Amino acid sequence: MKLYSAPGTCGTAMQIVLEWIGKPYEVEHLDFAGMKSPEYMALNPAGVVPTLVDHDTPLSEGLAILLHLVDQNPDAKIGPAAGENGRDDLYRWLAFISATLHPFFWPYFMPMRYIDDEAQYPAVRKAAEARVDYALSIIEAHLKGRDWILGDKKSVADAFLYPMASWAYGFEKSTAKYPNIDRVIRQLIADPAVQAVHASQGTTPKVDLAA
Ligand SMILES: N[C@@H](CCC(=O)N[C@@H](CS)C(=O)NCC(=O)O)C(=O)O
């Protein structure tokens, strides 16, 4: 398997899951120009990371990659199989993270895609932070009384949350202010798989571990 990703991006989630699976894989970290190259866009026409190439077949979209990895690796215990208890919840939370939480960050990181006037970037970022708060608050309420998103078992949904919750540690309302999400992120930071991904990316966890 080969994963195309970039340090600190949502592709971090897929690499965490590949570490959990434990099979050999390769990762190629792309820069922005690499994501827009014709060679890469032949694999992922959106020109974004992640893309997973498994058995010579490229698969894009984080949600699709995570479900593929669950289905192809039943022994890895990274999420319920089709028909098992919790599978619907897995669909629900992967969809929520992919389609609701993730896009709320885009105007924050790329305000120039939404507005021409640079003077308005702070206002766009403020609005994005408010939408992220709306989505994180829903996840925070769900995590009350649960160890992980799906209950007592860690799954690909937690890995998917990891990069996005990490981005929001720098927000005015930091991820640290969502105690249940913060707890899950700290559990993940203690996981050797997550540490291996940070080492491979040359990144460090965003959360202040001393706090
Ligand atoms: N819907 C895509 C979105 C992927 C995405 O937005 N990836 C970001 C990194 S987190 C990216 O590559 N951005 C580059 C760009 O937007 O040009 C997915 O879930 O895989």
Side-chain angles (χ1 to χ4, degrees):
M1 287 184 283
K2 176 164 179 177
L3 177 71
Y4 293 87
S5 182
T9 65
C10 55
T12 301
M14 292 74 214
Q15 196 180 351
I16 291 171
V17 172
L18 288 169
E19 287 287 329
W20 284 343
I21 291 167
K23 290 181 183 164
Y25 73 91
E26 192 188 330
V27 62
E28 182 171 336
H29 288 131
L30 300 174
D31 59 14
F32 194 80
M35 291 179 208
K36 312 304 172 202
S37 71
E39 297 77 26
Y40 181 67
M41 289 185 73
L43 303 176
N44 184 329
V48 295
V49 289
T51 301
L52 181 76
V53 180
D54 192 4
H55 296 105
D56 295 328
T57 307
L59 181 61
S60 54
E61 292 300 320
L63 177 155
I65 294 170
L66 292 175
L67 285 172
H68 171 85
L69 290 173
V70 170
D71 291 345
Q72 295 298 310
N73 299 282
D75 296 338
K77 306 275 176 240
I78 51 175
E84 264 178 26
N85 271 349
R87 179 72 175 204
D88 287 349
D89 257 357
L90 179 62
Y91 289 136
R92 173 191 173 197
W93 288 108
L94 291 184
F96 187 79
I97 293 168
S98 170
T100 300
L101 175 61
H102 192 188
F104 288 153
F105 284 96
W106 296 342
Y108 181 86
F109 288 121
M110 300 272 193
M112 66 294 293
R113 287 183 176 170
Y114 296 82
I115 196 155
D116 290 330
D117 181 3
E118 232 175 285
Q120 297 297 323
Y121 289 178
V124 171
R125 290 204 167 100
K126 196 165 180 228
E129 288 199 28
R131 298 314 288 159
V132 168
D133 174 41
Y134 157 80
L136 288 182
S137 298
I138 291 169
I139 298 173
E140 173 68 12
H142 171 77
L143 280 171
K144 188 162 187 258
R146 291 182 172 87
D147 293 337
W148 303 99
I149 291 178
L150 295 190
D152 57 356
K153 289 197 186 79
K154 187 176 74 178
S155 76
V156 296
D158 304 294
F160 208 12
L161 179 62
Y162 182 78
M164 295 171 211
S166 296
W167 300 335
Y169 275 100
F171 281 14
E172 198 177 322
K173 182 171 177 187
S174 160
T175 299
K177 301 234 172 77
Y178 307 83
N180 296 308
I181 297 177
D182 185 52
R183 166 177 54 78
V184 167
I185 298 309
R186 285 166 190 271
Q187 284 164 188
L188 287 168
I189 288 170
D191 184 326
V194 176
Q195 292 166 8
V197 173
H198 277 297
S200 133
Q201 294 186 340
T203 55
T204 50
K206 290 275 178 277
V207 52
D208 177 5
L209 292 170

